[in-house]
Amino acid sequence: MVTTPTPITNDDSVRELDATEKQSMTVAQTKTALITGIAGQDGAYLAQLLSEQGYRVVGTSHRPVDDRSPVPAALKVLQLDLSDTRAVTDVVAALQPDEIYNLAARASSAQLFDEPLETAEINGLSAVRFLDAIRQHSPHTRFCQAASSEVFAGAHSSPQDETTALAPVNSYGAAKAYAVHMVRMYRKHYGLHASSAFLFNHESPRRGIHFVTRKITRTVALIATGQADHLELGDLDSRRDWGYAGDVVVALWKMLQQPAGDDYVIATGKSHSVRDFCRIAFAHVGLDYTQYVRSNPAFITRHEAVALVGNQDKARLQLGWQATIDFQQLVTMMVDADLALLKQTK
């Protein structure tokens, strides 16, 4: 099934490319890119970035895309079951894409331990299905696998970089780690241009409301407009390396423009606590977070032995990439977007 979704309007956008980046993309304007998980925040930003530069973009989603999805208008979206090996192979063989960005994943923090078989299928085995389809039917295709900082959740050192041993602590991270290993194997044994992006936490106004950052900014907007009176969270001192999704997708594109595939940590290199996020979000609407935020121990999922913070040196030096939106800008951007969204729905 193919749909042509209508985008919703957002104030946020992918950052403007510099002159060198634009020139590089102009050379590749006739390229075809396949993006899985097109309806997610990363897929939508990446589709926007590539479409604006002349790529032919084809997206996949496991469910129909409707007018609530921030996917560029008139973009071809295929419903694709990533657990169906034949279907994945047929898409790759038919499209012969120049680039594949495998962004689809079961990603909710509430699902890190849930349904391990389904998680393994989508977060792990789907990468192998694409890699093998590329090997057999489209060896010129360049492949980018979205990995995660969750593969380092049990690490003993911080910050984490591309040489840090993979140490997942849940089924989500384990499936992502498997995909990383397979990308490395296909790169080494078959010479594929295949890369893994170790994506540390990245957010945006397009983040799903079941993620803690969006839960915070949406509730702040509700409280500021008199529609809620408190916010219940888990460990306020839990820390993450939070970046902006619009920055992250630029790094993904840059990875596939390199002479060969490789692994890259995509992160800001700075960590902040949930408490920091709350403080900035509430202050942006003139409120004191301590008057509204409650910590519920039942919501605490785990305590890290070391901080999950990414070392972005390799991405900065080899890709010429670094984050452009800082933490405070990210938080206030998300609050403003949720306030605007509430006004639209009145």
Side-chain angles (χ1 to χ4, degrees), residues 16-222:
E16 181 73 11
L17 298 179
D18 62 33
T20 301
E21 292 167 339
K22 286 182 178 179
Q23 184 178 15
S24 297
M25 294 196 87
T26 301
V27 176
Q29 284 186 354
T30 58
K31 287 184 176 180
T32 295
L34 177 66
I35 304 172
T36 70
I38 193 75
Q41 66 165 1
D42 296 353
Y45 280 117
L46 183 59
Q48 177 186 338
L49 173 68
L50 298 183
S51 295
E52 289 174 353
Q53 302 303 323
Y55 273 69
R56 175 197 177 208
V57 178
V58 179
T60 78
S61 177
H62 69 285
R63 58 180 177 268
V65 175
D66 58 29
D67 60 5
R68 293 171 296 177
S69 173
V71 178
L75 188 149
K76 187 175 184 180
V77 180
L78 309 173
Q79 272 188 260
L80 179 65
D81 180 359
L82 296 183
S83 67
D84 186 334
T85 300
R86 179 64 180 270
V88 171
T89 300
D90 287 348
V91 166
V92 174
L95 284 179
Q96 295 283 304
D98 296 280
E99 299 169 2
I100 295 177
Y101 299 86
N102 189 29
L103 310 183
R106 298 183 76 250
S108 171
S109 59
Q111 296 175 322
L112 292 178
F113 291 95
D114 295 347
E115 300 177 350
L117 293 177
E118 182 178 345
T119 298
E121 284 281 3
I122 304 305
N123 294 3
L125 288 173
S126 70
V128 185
R129 293 186 177 96
F130 278 111
L131 289 165
D132 214 52
I134 291 169
R135 178 183 67 83
Q136 296 184 66
H137 302 288
S138 189
H140 74 282
T141 299
R142 298 184 174 194
F143 180 77
C144 177
Q145 170 64 22
S148 166
S149 61
E150 283 293 327
V151 303
F152 302 130
H156 298 294
S157 62
S158 184
Q160 295 82 40
D161 62 22
E162 296 79 7
T163 66
T164 302
L166 306 188
V169 300
N170 52 53
S171 57
Y172 175 90
K176 287 288 190 179
Y178 172 73
V180 169
H181 284 305
M182 295 306 290
V183 166
R184 290 172 175 172
M185 290 173 63
Y186 272 76
R187 190 166 65 213
K188 178 179 179 180
H189 292 290
Y190 299 112
L192 298 189
H193 193 300
S195 300
S196 289
F198 295 100
L199 304 179
F200 280 65
N201 292 62
H202 50 286
E203 315 298 327
S204 76
R206 299 176 183 179
R207 189 54 126 166
I209 60 174
H210 51 285
F211 288 84
V212 65
T213 51
R214 183 71 193 288
K215 179 180 178 181
I216 294 170
T217 60
R218 184 171 182 272
T219 306
V220 166
L222 289 170

Side-chain angles (χ1 to χ4, degrees), residues 291-304:
Q291 303 301 309
Y292 301 94
V293 178
R294 304 171 186 173
S295 180
N296 185 341
F299 292 170
I300 298 175
T301 56
R302 70 164 188 255
H303 296 282
E304 285 81 25

Side-chain angles (χ1 to χ4, degrees), residues 235-246:
D235 183 5
L236 298 183
D237 295 317
S238 178
R239 304 183 69 86
R240 289 291 183 271
D241 183 334
W242 275 303
Y244 173 48

Side-chain angles (χ1 to χ4, degrees), residues 265-278:
V265 164
I266 308 302
T268 71
K270 300 176 182 178
S271 75
H272 298 274
S273 67
V274 174
R275 190 183 305 277
D276 294 333
F277 203 108
C278 291

